[in-house]
Amino acid sequence: MNVCLFEEKKNNKEETMQFVQAKGVLAPTRVGAAAVVLGCFGSTPRRRRRHVELMSGGLGLDTLAIVPSMSSVAFPVVARGTARRIRAELANGCLSKKSKIVFLLLSGCGENMFSHMIVDSKDDPSLIGRIAGVAYDSAPVSPDPAVWSRAFTAAAFSKIPFRTDRSPVYDHSIVTPVARIFSRAHLRLPWNSSWVRCAANSAEECLPPSVPMLFLFSDNDSLVSPTFIQAFADHQASRCMRPVTSSKFDSEHVDHLRCHPKEYEMNLNQWLCDDPGAIGFQQ
């Protein structure tokens, strides 16, 4: 069922792009639609598979999953290269004939990559016009050095193969302070600070107001502030007049699907079918 379309290694950081065909009872009703799952570089392969299997099996959508490298989040020039390859795949690859594409963004990694894609494609109706909806899981993430340093700490520890406890490590006496110094300096660089401001406004400036959004987040998220996510959602609903749906869980960062699989799937499917009429998928 899994067909690997793209695999690249740069600086020992692996980026993968994988296509999974739709299956299940809903697949025949959604042949013109597809899903793109973006992120998350700090998660385990099992956790990433859950989201892909939900979109392809539970929701019946052909699914393209992309796991960017850590460098694509840290350096905009790397992210733009990855975004170009994703856009090329959407234009000429397995999803080229799909008229509606739903994006599922996992944490700040998925949000960052999506922002690069739409900012570079804002004058390209062949992509923007096919975006039928955007679902944020534990995102967006505040451009705060404290948040970024904890995220990089978790990503770094997730790469240690001999760890027996696979729960995220957000705080470490040595790694986190060093990462915070790097994040603070990194975000102050002129080309990065300008990109952060651009990314924060990317959805408002590049997506038509008719594109609906779904926010899946939690008050118990140890990394991302639910207040920040709710403020972003409220802004999209009020100022942009965009269809917005929010669903709260009691689970940790990007852990909602594992802890509440039935509720998570129900929220996504209801959003696809009922809430934002612009998508109009059949049940």
Side-chain angles (χ1 to χ4, degrees), residues 79-121:
R80 283 194 291 270
T82 304
R84 282 194 296 269
R85 290 189 289 275
I86 297 173
R87 293 202 313 272
E89 185 60 43
L90 294 178
N92 306 307
C94 55
L95 303 186
S96 60
K97 296 183 180 179
K98 302 295 182 179
S99 59
K100 294 182 178 181
I101 300 177
V102 174
F103 284 83
L104 175 60
L105 313 181
L106 305 180
S107 190
C109 179
E111 172 209 357
N112 176 71
M113 190 54 57
F114 181 73
S115 296
H116 277 286
M117 287 181 57
I118 62 175
V119 167
D120 292 345
S121 306

Side-chain angles (χ1 to χ4, degrees), residues 183-250:
S183 299
R184 188 178 294 114
H186 183 69
L187 289 172
R188 288 177 178 174
L189 293 173
W191 51 87
N192 286 333
S193 60
S194 62
W195 161 247
V196 168
R197 290 193 297 271
C198 179
N201 300 322
S202 60
E204 180 176 344
E205 295 177 353
C206 303
L207 289 181
S210 59
V211 175
M213 291 181 173
L214 171 66
F215 294 89
L216 305 160
F217 62 107
S218 169
D219 285 330
N220 296 326
D221 194 319
S222 297
L223 183 63
V224 181
S225 166
T227 303
F228 182 83
I229 296 177
Q230 188 63 63
F232 181 86
D234 292 342
H235 177 81
Q236 293 297 317
S238 60
R239 182 169 179 177
C240 304
M241 304 302 290
R242 190 185 305 282
V244 169
T245 306
S246 297
S247 297
K248 273 193 175 184
F249 300 87
D250 59 3

Side-chain angles (χ1 to χ4, degrees), residues 36-113:
V36 175
V37 180
L38 292 176
C40 164
F41 66 71
S43 63
T44 63
R46 178 179 296 179
R47 181 179 294 184
R48 292 194 294 265
R49 281 198 300 270
R50 287 193 182 99
H51 291 89
V52 175
E53 290 171 357
L54 169 64
M55 302 304 284
S56 61
L59 302 180
L61 297 168
D62 283 351
T63 300
L64 185 66
I66 297 97
V67 182
S69 67
M70 190 181 298
S71 59
S72 68
V73 177
F75 304 104
V77 64
V78 179
R80 283 194 291 270
T82 304
R84 282 194 296 269
R85 290 189 289 275
I86 297 173
R87 293 202 313 272
E89 185 60 43
L90 294 178
N92 306 307
C94 55
L95 303 186
S96 60
K97 296 183 180 179
K98 302 295 182 179
S99 59
K100 294 182 178 181
I101 300 177
V102 174
F103 284 83
L104 175 60
L105 313 181
L106 305 180
S107 190
C109 179
E111 172 209 357
N112 176 71
M113 190 54 57

